[in-house]
Amino acid sequence: MTTPSRPVPPAKTAPTGSAATPPDRPTAAPSLAERLAAGTGGILLLGLTPPRRSATAEQAADIADVTLRRLAGLDLDGLILYDIDDESDRNPDERPFPYLPTMDPAVFHAEHLGAWPHPVIIYRCVGKYPAPDLTDWLRSVDPGRVLGVFVGSSSADKPVHTGLAEAHALHDEVRPELELGGVAITERYAQRGDEHLRMLTKQSRGCLFFVSQVVYDVDTTKSLVSDYYYACAERGIAPRPVIFTLSVCGSTKTLAFLQWLGVNVPKWLENSLRHSADPLAESYRRCLATATDLVEFCTELGLPFGFNVESVSIRKAEIDASVALAADIRRLLLPPHRP
Amino acid sequence: MTTPSRPVPPAKTAPTGSAATPPDRPTAAPSLAERLAAGTGGILLLGLTPPRRSATAEQAADIADVTLRRLAGLDLDGLILYDIDDESDRNPDERPFPYLPTMDPAVFHAEHLGAWPHPVIIYRCVGKYPAPDLTDWLRSVDPGRVLGVFVGSSSADKPVHTGLAEAHALHDEVRPELELGGVAITERYAQRGDEHLRMLTKQSRGCLFFVSQVVYDVDTTKSLVSDYYYACAERGIAPRPVIFTLSVCGSTKTLAFLQWLGVNVPKWLENSLRHSADPLAESYRRCLATATDLVEFCTELGLPFGFNVESVSIRKAEIDASVALAADIRRLLLPPHRP
């Protein structure tokens, strides 16, 4: 395949921004890449969806500006920039929020996030890209500022340009120094019971960390990482850090969207959100309880971990709550959970 | 059916025992039956399996004596006496502990638990008994000292003498003043999703409270009682108290037995028990965490609740841990969870 349907833009060197490293994060501290490579936890990320592709350069710059000002008070270790795919193939139900093509995450990073002083983790839905384009991106990227997460197809039937195994092989061949992560999906574990073995396969192909899908089913998530931990122990290999993604849910529409995305929301939690006079406050409280539970569980288990906070909706109240949640989670991650 | 295969012995009036009501439980306090009828929670029970049927009267008396001494320091609201059925029909796997027929719970109560100052809840696996025998027992029982729980068949294919609906009709006809409860099974909810509706059906047939199967899957248990609570709210009826059963697990053999009994143990918890140097201490800690979680959840929901502590094994360490667990749970149930 030589004519890509959607080329991966090469990464550009982002201009040096004016935002300084926050005073309590001395620049001598290990970088995100170093900490993930060393397998230490206590990492806090914030996940962002790039602006829609129809945005003008000025609009995208405004969005970046507003976003960075929102994040200025947070002590984040990095950002995740999602690569949004039209996943309507995996769910015949109507999508509660419309699918809108978004800007390429590497372009958004290079052109608009120059003021961001920390690394970014760029997602790649590898099936979207022909191998030569993925190769070009791998060659162009700066591993000192960027990490990657390769995501496989959202359904087995979907035609892909590049499969996940092929993408991992390309990474190994072209740019092994780019630190790579994989996704870990609780709901796939619930259905098939082998997600922890998939994590081991990804690990054997070079993945140094994992990022979960949005966690609402904390109990099954604990089972997934427990099975992963003990499967590593059986093989005598060190478990890699698992970054748990949390997202608040401020309305029944957002709840429907989470469920459409395949997130399993336990019935009791769904009931409490549906019957709450303030579902956003309720879900905030539940997200914090989930984080507390996972901190305790992973610490006791000995699994390195971290959190990624995102908002699956673009409503201001939910985005603001995500930022507040990230600040609260940072406090949970204070030593001893952080190097 | 006029010739019962196993008659239900009529209840006898138990002799007045010497054990006094503990000093902090004034006799003017509402009785267990009054509290359950009023729908208040904060109830603490301890579940006992009667001695095996082959025990001599002297052995049974010794067992009763040892048991009551063990329970003397506990501030219990009552005892549950199980009616053990050979449930090998529901699981083709080998039973980890052998099935041994046990003494009838009403006989054990009448003949050996006279010193017990509080009410007992007598289980009846109704399928074991022809209707006339169940009728005789209902007629003979003292509703001031005894409550009942009717349990249906352990599998749909099992031939029964009396079905659950028939048993409820008999109760209504013969002895409606005997306070009756039903069982609530998380694992049935997980499989079929309608256990909360079965609870409503039992409630409409006169059940005033529910006792759960052993809870290890606290998340699904929360979903079950949440659905039950909101189903009651939709119908404008008051939810009845739900008594959650907890049992420690001190060995992989006890774990296998719990699983054989149909208890769903989340994989993370199974892993932690299997890999623990001290599974009894670990399971004790988990049981207490389960109780704490359920206290918080039900209190917030507004569902009246209580706990029943049992030991599914007859090992001394596990029985001792059960007694200690009951004492710890009583502390959790101090006001405002208790009238």
Side-chain angles (χ1 to χ4, degrees), chain B residues 82-94:
Chain B
Y82 293 113
D83 186 14
I84 303 298
D85 199 6
D86 178 6
E87 299 190 5
S88 58
D89 57 294
R90 76 161 176 193
N91 191 333
D93 298 339
E94 197 190 342

Side-chain angles (χ1 to χ4, degrees), chain A residues 4 7 205 240 325:
Chain A
R205 292 191 200 142
R240 307 303 315 169
L325 180 64

Side-chain angles (χ1 to χ4, degrees), chain A residues 198-264:
Chain A
R198 285 167 173 255
M199 291 167 74
L200 284 172
T201 301
K202 290 176 187 176
Q203 192 167 338
S204 73
R205 292 191 200 142
C207 286
L208 287 179
F209 63 96
F210 297 97
V211 183
S212 81
Q213 187 168 251
V214 173
V215 174
Y216 268 74
D217 183 355
V218 62
D219 206 59
T220 310
T221 301
K222 283 157 72 175
S223 288
L224 165 61
V225 299
S226 170
D227 270 357
Y228 169 65
Y229 176 89
Y230 287 110
C232 286
E234 266 173 29
R235 289 158 180 78
I237 58 178
R240 307 303 315 169
V242 178
I243 313 293
F244 299 104
T245 298
L246 299 177
S247 178
V248 296
C249 171
S251 71
T252 50
K253 193 162 179 183
T254 303
L255 178 64
F257 186 48
L258 282 167
Q259 292 173 323
W260 186 91
L261 286 168
V263 176
N264 179 27

Side-chain angles (χ1 to χ4, degrees), chain B residues 70-84:
Chain B
R70 263 192 190 126
L71 306 184
L74 293 175
D75 181 13
L76 296 173
D77 296 300
L79 291 179
I80 284 180
L81 299 180
Y82 293 113
D83 186 14
I84 303 298

